[in-house]
Amino acid sequence: MNRQSNTYTIIYSVVLVLIVGVVLSLVYQALRPQQEENIANDTKRQILAAALITPSEGQTVAELYDSHITESYIVNADGRKVDGDLNPFDVNVAMEKKKPAAERLLPVFVCNTDKGVKYIVPVYGAGLWGPIWGYIAMDSNGDTIYGAYFAHQGETPGLGAEIEKPAFSSQFEGKDIFAADGAFQSVKVVKNGQEPAEGAYVHAISGGTITSQGVQKMLQDSLEPYTAFFKSLASARQ
């Protein structure tokens, strides 16, 4: 075949593209298990971080997770466990958030800490530039936040991205999500000087107003469906 012809050039290009495509596919398949493991370990790290647990030197996230997370399950809006084969770890919280609150699958991770048993639940919402998410660890009274972890996809560095820093998330520790009359109230995120007279609150990030408001709405929308479950924890203590 004439190597200077258009036909040769087209055939050569097609064959080259096919070879490169096959090689890339093989590489992807070979690396996929490691990628999935890395994603799973990062999720485990986030869950543990909400309970204020971090790996020590020489300790893997997987080992730490297995030693502290004693149980996980799914509950519904009535606070009852949902039977089924779906692993709570695999619940797509972003997709569940699109459903009516009464229809959502609500994952719960039971964590044994040196300060007692904590119940960790995922939260998901929207920031200024993209999704924000995290985990909230609740005390066994079903009311008090023990710890919080937040992450984001593309918030502005130095502004909205500060939600991932302990300086912000640690403010939620010790905050109650129910009012004295038992009504769900979540936690407000407010500017300095705008503190509410009643209810739990934390201070917003300076210059990150929209992201801070996103965190407030995320907690309100994500935690309220757990109301019956949280109250069942309080009942079990009595």
Side-chain angles (χ1 to χ4, degrees), residues 14 17 41 93 142 156 164 176 204 229:
V14 170
V17 169
N41 283 336
V93 180
T156 307
E164 66 183 2
D176 292 336
F229 171 73

Side-chain angles (χ1 to χ4, degrees), residues 18-213:
L18 289 175
I19 292 174
V20 172
V22 170
V23 171
L24 290 177
S25 178
L26 291 174
V27 171
Y28 171 77
Q29 292 298 327
L31 295 178
R32 185 176 179 181
Q34 184 62 50
Q35 292 172 337
E36 292 178 344
E37 182 180 355
N38 290 341
I39 293 172
N41 283 336
D42 186 56
T43 301
K44 292 176 180 179
R45 177 189 63 80
Q46 295 179 29
I47 292 172
L48 292 171
L52 312 181
I53 299 172
T54 57
S56 57
E57 185 176 353
Q59 189 176 34
T60 68
V61 171
E63 292 172 342
L64 195 63
Y65 183 89
D66 291 341
S67 65
H68 284 278
I69 302 300
T70 59
E71 186 181 7
S72 62
Y73 45 81
I74 297 171
V75 299
N76 57 25
D78 294 326
R80 298 188 180 92
K81 291 184 179 181
V82 176
D83 296 327
D85 297 328
L86 182 61
N87 187 333
F89 192 83
D90 296 327
V91 172
N92 188 325
V93 180
M95 295 301 296
E96 293 301 317
K97 185 74 180 295
K98 297 177 181 179
K99 299 178 182 179
E103 299 176 9
R104 295 181 197 171
L105 299 176
L106 307 171
V108 177
F109 301 90
V110 184
C111 184
N112 188 24
T113 75
D114 57 3
K115 294 187 178 180
V117 176
K118 311 301 175 186
Y119 296 83
I120 305 172
V121 301
V123 293
Y124 188 91
L128 174 60
W129 300 114
I132 56 177
W133 65 90
Y135 292 90
I136 300 295
M138 302 295 298
D139 277 336
S140 56
N141 63 8
D143 184 14
T144 307
I145 294 177
Y146 175 72
Y149 173 87
F150 302 117
H152 65 92
Q153 179 172 294
E155 299 307 288
T156 307
L159 298 175
E162 295 296 300
I163 64 170
E164 66 183 2
K165 302 293 182 60
F168 177 71
S169 61
S170 62
Q171 295 184 83
F172 290 85
E173 297 170 19
K175 304 297 183 181
D176 292 336
I177 63 173
F178 290 99
D181 62 0
F184 176 78
Q185 63 180 0
S186 190
V187 179
K188 296 181 176 64
V189 184
V190 302
K191 294 181 179 180
N192 283 307
Q194 297 183 4
E195 294 83 359
E198 297 181 352
Y201 67 87
V202 302
H203 287 117
I205 297 166
S206 179
T209 301
I210 295 179
T211 307
S212 298
Q213 291 173 346

